Amino acid sequence: MKKTLTTILSALLLVTATGCGDKETEVTNNNSTDKTSQLEIVKVEGDRVVYYDFDSLDASADLVVIGSYKNDSTQNLEYEYSSEFGKDVLVNAVSTNEIEVSKVLKGTTDEDSLKISQRYGIVDEPYQLVTFSEMTAMEKGDEWIFFLYYDDSNDTYWCSGDYTGRYPLPDDSLTAVCNEVNQIREERENWLSGKQTDVTANANNDYVYTSVDGSEYSFTAQADIDKVKSFDERISSAVGEVDASDFGVYDKNLINIELYCDIINQYDCTL
Amino acid sequence: MVTKREIKRIIALLLSATVVFSSQLLTAHAHNSDYFSGTYTASQSIKDMNFRIESSAITSLLTSQVYYSAYAWDNVSSNVGTIGIAIAAPGMPSSGFIIVTGKSYTDGTLGETIPRKADGSIANVDDNWAGVSIRMNTNSNAFSGASNPTTAAKKTFIHEVGHTLKLSHPKKNSSLSGHIYNGLPRAVMNQGYPNSQAVASTVVTHDKTNLRTKWGT
Ligand SMILES: [Zn+2]
Ligand SMILES: [Zn+2]
């Protein structure tokens, strides 16, 4: 009896503890302007096409623009009957936002504003922001670099590979980070130039590094592995002060700083 | 001539070697950032995972064979055991299953695992789950960018079942053991088509190790 009570108590404590850990935020979205209570963010997991390097990201985009969020959006919540729960449950959410274009970096558009869709929505019961996207919900004042592709079946644009298709403008601190990262990458390229690139020649590789140009390097010697990892560590620490929110993602691990530096090197993002 | 005592010593040596070996297997690639916390509550049990594939999830590409590929998770962890895959048919009971439906997505989604609380609302990934629903992209273009669309479709369903078993996407970090491809491990739990070395087409060591660390060997 005592044991059962202890179990129940610790279970209760556990629930309370995780409840405190919930991320809470205020979202400036016209869907929620009349709400003052705190919004719980819940993120759905999935599998999707994402882009790991500049060339494939750029090739996937019909349009690359700098744009800012205009304060109007529509959202579509989709429910489906669940026999397990005996009622309709939420299965999809799409918000479509108007984005005012301030600069076109790739492609052409006659429009001053574009419709961009993102997989999130705000639900009343319980009061939640449900996101199927790794990107943060659009907020008033948001301005981003967008890699977009057109979806003619829904007459809307989507970000290429979700979070891999939306980036912050390079302010002073991000420019400084990129300068440092570019310098580390240059050192790494110099070091790599003397290394063999044929991975298949060495099936027992302990570390495989793919450079920006797609060349694959295979390392078995501990000194080489330590060296190539040390470049990664230096790049990670250069990113140190950048927050997930600066990149508009829920998880800092999703920031691909090398890809971002390539975008900044490739496109003139000054307004 | 080997004495009894020597045999005992050899057995003891072998046993300790086994212990070291299996514990190494457990820790070599297990990273608590690679799986979610929490467990299953309510009727769903991790030991008895059965998936019911609704007709909306069946297409010319997403065949029953694609769904049966998730048997790759069988017996990786004795606490998870084997999973069941049932292709929905009239008269089949619907309770006690994780329901897999189809939906045409145009945003690059391949598949999705939606965790739920007891009231059916969406749960946080690290909280306890009462159940999940899985959705597969039935859009004919969804897997066309893969070098082998059928392999990619199988990989996606295996990946979604991995989420159902509370595994997450491995974090890019080359200081973690086994994360040997530009900081990522080779794993079915990586996102995207299995066109690169890091994205495995089926359950591999890194996935198995994390499942065993999460649920036991
Ligand atoms: Zn996933
Ligand atoms: Zn890992």
Side-chain angles (χ1 to χ4, degrees), chain A residues 45-48 134, chain B residues 111-113 155 159-160 163 167-169 188-191:
Chain A
E45 288 300 310
D47 195 4
R48 65 166 68 251
E134 306 276 2
Chain B
E112 250 158 22
T113 302
K155 179 264 168 180
H159 179 105
E160 298 315 323
H163 281 315
L167 299 187
S168 61
H169 301 144
V188 79
M189 291 316 293
N190 283 318
Q191 292 196 88

Side-chain angles (χ1 to χ4, degrees), chain A:
Chain A
M1 184 65 200
K2 199 174 177 185
K3 200 184 168 193
T4 320
L5 196 71
T6 321
T7 316
I8 292 169
L9 275 174
S10 51
L12 276 173
L13 276 171
L14 208 74
V15 169
T16 323
T18 49
C20 296
D22 288 344
K23 284 182 210 151
E24 288 176 339
T25 190
E26 269 186 54
V27 167
T28 329
N29 180 308
N30 71 327
N31 294 318
S32 63
T33 42
D34 55 335
K35 299 271 186 174
T36 47
S37 54
Q38 295 277 283
L39 185 61
E40 181 195 18
I41 299 176
V42 283
K43 197 168 74 62
V44 168
E45 288 300 310
D47 195 4
R48 65 166 68 251
V49 177
V50 290
Y51 298 96
Y52 292 104
D53 61 88
F54 176 81
D55 287 343
S56 56
L57 171 65
D58 199 50
S60 74
D62 300 318
L63 211 52
V64 180
V65 301
I66 296 173
S68 52
Y69 173 61
K70 284 163 72 173
N71 195 21
D72 62 330
S73 67
T74 58
Q75 73 168 12
N76 252 312
L77 302 177
E78 186 191 339
Y79 290 84
E80 207 169 70
Y81 182 76
S82 158
S83 50
E84 189 184 357
F85 296 98
K87 61 174 170 181
D88 286 349
V89 293
L90 184 74
V91 285
N92 193 13
V94 177
S95 287
T96 300
N97 300 303
E98 289 274 332
I99 303 296
E100 198 170 278
V101 177
S102 32
K103 191 170 185 178
V104 178
L105 301 169
K106 179 194 167 180
T108 48
T109 176
D110 300 333
E111 310 294 325
D112 293 335
S113 67
L114 300 170
K115 275 198 293 179
I116 301 182
S117 296
Q118 194 179 324
R119 300 272 311 285
Y120 71 87
I122 291 166
V123 182
D124 283 330
E125 260 326 306
Y127 186 41
Q128 285 180 328
L129 189 154
V130 179
T131 179
F132 297 73
S133 160
E134 306 276 2
M135 289 184 280
T136 53
M138 286 284 192
E139 288 183 54
K140 199 174 178 177
D142 270 10
E143 190 169 35
W144 303 103
I145 305 163
F146 293 97
F147 286 74
L148 301 169
Y149 70 93
Y150 183 64
D151 167 12
D152 55 0
S153 60
N154 296 297
D155 184 29
T156 190
Y157 284 93
W158 296 94
C159 293
S160 286
D162 187 59
Y163 70 94
T164 62
R166 197 184 76 176
Y167 297 90
L169 294 184
D171 61 6
D172 288 350
S173 76
L174 284 176
T175 306
V177 168
C178 278
N179 288 341
E180 192 182 342
V181 168
N182 285 335
Q183 202 184 321
I184 301 166
R185 294 169 88 196
E186 204 180 312
E187 272 181 57
R188 182 172 60 195
E189 289 306 309
N190 288 336
W191 178 75
L192 284 169
S193 62
K195 302 289 168 187
Q196 98 166 16
T197 54
D198 187 5
V199 169
T200 52
N202 194 344
N204 297 321
N205 44 64
D206 292 316
Y207 198 86
V208 177
Y209 174 75
T210 308
S211 71
V212 178
D213 65 7
S215 308
E216 284 187 336
Y217 298 84
S218 143
F219 301 108
T220 46
Q222 195 56 48
D224 284 344
I225 295 168
D226 291 345
K227 184 73 179 170
V228 75
K229 286 184 179 180
S230 76
F231 289 118
D232 283 353
E233 277 157 28
R234 286 170 63 195
I235 288 171
S236 304
S237 61
V239 183
E241 270 141 55
V242 178
D243 277 335
S245 62
D246 295 330
F247 270 74
V249 288
Y250 289 112
D251 180 352
K252 192 177 174 176
N253 287 294
L254 297 176
I255 299 175
N256 185 340
I257 197 71
E258 294 191 55
L259 173 53
Y260 178 67
C261 295
D262 284 335
I263 293 167
I264 302 311
N265 293 341
Q266 207 69 35
Y267 288 121
D268 177 8
C269 297
T270 51
L271 290 172

Side-chain angles (χ1 to χ4, degrees), chain B residues 31 53 72 105-106 108 123 132 139 151 160 170 207-209:
Chain B
H31 307 120
I53 317 301
Y105 293 105
T106 49
V132 307
N139 190 300
T151 304
E160 298 315 323
D207 307 299
K208 290 180 183 176
T209 312

Side-chain angles (χ1 to χ4, degrees), chain B residues 107-185:
Chain B
D107 71 329
T109 293
L110 301 172
E112 250 158 22
T113 302
I114 311 174
R116 298 193 187 279
K117 300 175 188 175
D119 64 359
S121 66
I122 317 277
N124 249 311
V125 286
D126 288 315
D127 285 353
N128 288 338
W129 299 348
V132 307
S133 6
I134 293 180
R135 288 189 124 198
M136 291 288 286
N137 191 350
T138 50
N139 190 300
S140 56
N141 294 320
F143 294 90
S144 58
S147 44
N148 182 331
T150 304
T151 304
K154 287 180 177 175
K155 179 264 168 180
T156 291
F157 188 61
I158 297 170
H159 179 105
E160 298 315 323
V161 172
H163 281 315
T164 301
L165 302 174
K166 279 205 163 255
L167 299 187
S168 61
H169 301 144
K171 303 290 179 272
K172 188 176 153 75
N173 182 348
S174 60
S175 66
L176 295 172
S177 59
H179 287 227
I180 65 163
Y181 299 99
N182 284 33
L184 284 174

